[in-house]
Amino acid sequence: MSSGLKKRETFSSGIAVFFATLGSAVGLGNIWKFPYLTGVFGGGAFLLVYVLCVIFVGIPVMLAEFFIGRNTRSNVIGAFKKLAPGTMWKHVGTMGVGAAYLIMFFYSCVAGWVYYYLFKSLRGDFVGITTESAKTQFAQTVIGPLTPIIWQIIVMVVVGAILIMGVQKGIERVTKTLMPVLFLLIVICDIRALTLPNAFEGVRFLFNVDFSKLSAVAILTALGLAFFKLSLGMGTMVTYGSYFTKGNNLFRTAASVAFSDTLVSVLAGLAIFPAVFAFGMKPGAGPGLLFMTIPLVFSKMPFGNQLLVAFFFLSSIAATTAMLSLVEVLVAYHTEEFNISRRTASIVNSLIIVVIGSTAALSVDPSSLLGSIKFMGKGFFDWYDYISSNILLPVGGFFIAIFVGYIMKQKAVLDELSNSSPKLAVATKIYLFILKTITPVLLIIIFLNSIGVINFK
Ligand code: PHE
């Protein structure tokens, strides 16, 4: 039987839908982007703005994507073809597929470093390290040239193998088992970090409400972060939405995923910053924080190595479940539009990601050939990140909002989102209003700012 004729899979229950969707949202973004940005841009004040962005931009776009997916039961390109046949709208789907590849090219590279650090912490490499050796260990990891590529391959073997198993036996089973484990591990790290002497300074860094730091840049950062964090603008939620069943309450799913994802980010901040301050270190952003500061700080405390294992294990879970949703966009597209098997689609896409993604991994070393190739000051790694996060996601989100808000028959949207229940009709109407007005305007502003057409100080 050809794969196109097989019954399309769905998630088996509401709880499975919740964990799979949360698995997509919770990723590396929670661990190094969110806590740091919150601390730098005014703590509690930034958190407040972030929550408003989630409510006015994140949740409406997520609902719009759920609508497109569940209504058509198709991959992201097929969905637009069904809803607006013979038009250019399918190219919103094409952009989504492009974004999924670009994000995977660099995300799989960072995930490779995370897996390697889990392995290193299990081996005890960080016991008794100093600032210098933390730096050297990180440099050896990213420069390779073989190490980062081998670990990137391992990451893609894991992701590909889970996807081959299918929506229920692969994505659903893994996210349902591992998301609670992630939560438990993060709470354990929190308890340890918060009971360290001087922990309060870290808590203050994260929550101190300082409205004076809330510049226009901070607000735009919060908006962009909400988008990346909730995996929006590129069809991940269209694809997952296409596996939801008619009974799933889309509002409840969107709201509970947005809330839990924010909670995980805050808990990650509470595991990281009290420890950083307790040992008199400075909080940094991105790879430096994750791969140098954390091993250094954790190795100084009692049970530090066990905690490091827990920390890198939970980071590996976060990265892996986010990647499942990215690659599933590609797998669903190829199985449905080209009628190939899930197995072939998973293997071919994992291979493409490893081959092209290795250019991201190799471009991190400035002294290498690939590292020396720069266009407008950015290497491969940075371009993949910039084009996807700053251009494709907000542009995709804008068109998705316009499509569902203005092109679709409003009655169809209303029926789908409210599950045809009068109880949800009022909420749906309010959300449709936000989706048509506030959401697109804010998205245009983030986009123009991120490509430098307007420049806020
Ligand atoms: N939400 C993921 C994170 O926080 C990243 C992601 C973006 C996943 C877009 C899927 C789609 O890391």
Side-chain angles (χ1 to χ4, degrees):
M1 185 161 70
S2 91
S3 58
L5 296 174
K6 266 191 216 149
K7 197 171 163 291
R8 206 162 184 280
E9 272 200 277
T10 57
F11 291 123
S12 69
S13 64
I15 203 77
V17 161
F18 169 72
F19 280 126
T21 314
L22 183 64
S24 168
V26 169
L28 294 170
N30 299 58
I31 293 158
W32 57 266
K33 256 193 172 146
F34 186 103
Y36 172 76
L37 291 173
T38 306
V40 165
F41 284 116
F46 181 83
L47 203 59
L48 184 75
V49 173
Y50 176 80
V51 170
L52 291 175
C53 293
V54 167
I55 294 175
F56 288 107
V57 184
I59 295 181
V61 174
M62 192 185 284
L63 285 169
E65 293 200 26
F66 286 168
F67 161 77
I68 298 173
R70 192 173 69 170
N71 193 268
T72 56
R73 311 216 153 279
S74 295
N75 65 85
V76 63
I77 296 184
F80 280 99
K81 283 199 207 155
K82 273 192 191 164
L83 291 173
T87 63
M88 298 287 275
W89 281 103
K90 65 169 182 285
H91 293 307
V92 177
T94 316
M95 268 180 4
V97 166
Y101 278 119
L102 290 175
I103 296 179
M104 278 308 295
F105 294 156
F106 73 89
Y107 209 93
S108 61
C109 161
V110 182
W113 303 344
V114 172
Y115 275 34
Y116 183 46
Y117 264 55
L118 171 61
F119 171 77
K120 279 165 77 66
S121 59
L122 280 166
R123 204 167 60 177
D125 284 9
F126 303 114
V127 176
I129 54 165
T130 58
T131 313
E132 266 320 296
S133 60
K135 267 194 200 142
T136 326
Q137 293 208 29
F138 182 53
Q140 279 163 350
T141 303
V142 300
I143 288 175
L146 267 185
T147 317
I149 304 222
I150 291 172
W151 286 93
Q152 197 172 20
I153 293 173
I154 296 175
V155 163
M156 289 318 298
V157 168
V158 172
V159 171
I162 298 172
L163 289 177
I164 289 174
M165 290 187 251
V167 173
Q168 276 194 15
K169 294 215 177 76
I171 300 174
E172 172 174 328
R173 208 171 44 170
V174 167
T175 50
K176 230 162 82 179
T177 322
L178 291 183
M179 291 314 284
V181 175
L182 177 147
F183 194 77
L184 185 76
L185 290 177
I186 219 166
V187 170
I188 294 176
C189 291
D190 278 335
I191 295 173
R192 177 63 277 211
L194 288 169
T195 48
L196 288 167
N198 231 357
F200 190 68
E201 221 180 306
V203 179
R204 211 167 43 204
F205 174 72
L206 202 56
F207 287 121
N208 180 26
V209 180
D210 182 355
F211 279 100
S212 72
K213 290 202 189 126
L214 217 52
S215 57
V217 177
I219 296 172
L220 291 171
T221 306
L223 207 50
L225 182 64
F227 232 63
F228 185 81
K229 277 295 330 100
L230 296 176
S231 316
L232 299 173
M234 45 143 308
T236 305
M237 294 303 169
V238 172
T239 308
Y240 272 18
S242 76
Y243 303 132
F244 293 2
T245 54
K246 283 288 166 211
N248 293 135
N249 181 330
L250 302 180
F251 276 97
R252 197 184 303 147
T253 304
S256 50
V257 166
F259 173 80
S260 312
D261 178 66
T262 309
L263 180 70
V264 170
S265 302
V266 169
L267 290 178
L270 285 176
I272 297 169
F273 294 119
V276 169
F277 282 96
F279 293 97
M281 307 268 307
K282 286 232 168 344
L289 176 66
L290 200 51
F291 299 105
M292 288 187 279
T293 317
I294 300 268
L296 198 59
V297 161
F298 280 36
S299 71
K300 293 200 168 115
M301 57 177 98
F303 300 109
N305 203 55
Q306 284 88 331
L307 232 53
L308 260 184
V309 172
F311 185 85
F312 282 112
F313 186 46
L314 79 87
S315 305
S316 308
I317 296 175
T320 307
T321 56
M323 286 185 292
L324 290 180
S325 70
L326 282 159
V327 185
E328 180 60 24
V329 170
L330 306 170
V331 170
Y333 166 58
H334 288 122
T335 48
E336 288 169 11
E337 303 294 310
F338 301 99
N339 228 354
I340 55 174
S341 71
R342 245 194 113 73
R343 195 185 169 79
T344 314
S346 308
I347 296 174
V348 171
N349 280 305
S350 301
L351 270 173
I352 296 175
I353 292 164
V354 163
V355 172
I356 307 185
S358 65
T359 58
L362 293 171
S363 73
V364 178
D365 173 10
S367 65
S368 73
L369 176 64
L370 280 178
S372 64
I373 303 177
K374 299 245 189 276
F375 314 93
M376 292 158 60
K378 286 189 176 60
F380 286 93
F381 186 110
D382 295 334
W383 272 112
Y384 298 144
D385 183 7
Y386 181 80
I387 297 174
S388 53
S389 313
N390 295 26
I391 299 178
L392 295 177
L393 298 193
V395 171
F398 173 77
F399 283 119
I400 288 168
I402 297 295
F403 185 72
V404 174
Y406 291 97
I407 309 289
M408 287 291 93
K409 285 208 183 67
Q410 296 303 284
K411 167 114 181 40
V413 181
L414 212 70
D415 286 348
E416 185 77 54
L417 289 183
S418 64
N419 285 353
S420 301
S421 115
K423 266 202 296 194
L424 285 174
V426 178
T428 311
K429 283 193 183 133
I430 297 174
Y431 256 103
L432 274 176
F433 174 75
I434 297 175
L435 186 74
K436 285 169 134 156
T437 52
I438 305 177
T439 311
V441 171
L442 289 178
L443 281 170
I444 290 186
I445 301 175
I446 343 184
F447 175 64
L448 294 180
N449 178 70
S450 69
I451 58 169
V453 173
I454 45 176
N455 222 333
F456 291 107
K457 284 273 173 304

